[in-house]
Amino acid sequence: MNPINNIFNTLDEYTEQIQNRIAASAGALCVIKDNKIIHEWYSGFHHYHKGARKTGAESQFNVYSTRVNIRGSCCRDRSL
C-alpha cells in the first residue's frame, strides 16, 4: 500500500461508517491538495436495484452537501 494512503485510512473508515449509518447505496472520498487529487476512496453501488454499477472514479456524486464535512475533517499533516 502507498504510504501516503495510510494517512487517510481513518478518514476512509469514517466515510464508510457514515455511508452505512445513513443507509446510502454508495460513498466516496476525494482529497485534493494544490489542485491535485492525492487520495480517492469509493464504496458501494449507484443504487440498490439489481444491475447497479459499482462506484469508482467515473461515478458522479452531488458534493455540495458534503463539502463542509470534508473541510471539517481535513488532515492536518503539513507534509502532504
Side-chain angles (χ1 to χ4, degrees), residues 42-68:
Y42 302 95
S43 172
F45 294 86
H46 281 255
H47 52 77
Y48 284 120
H49 303 290
K50 184 178 178 181
R53 190 165 50 103
K54 188 163 177 56
T55 58
E58 300 298 317
S59 300
Q60 295 181 3
F61 292 84
N62 294 324
V63 295
Y64 62 89
S65 63
T66 60
R67 183 172 295 259
V68 173

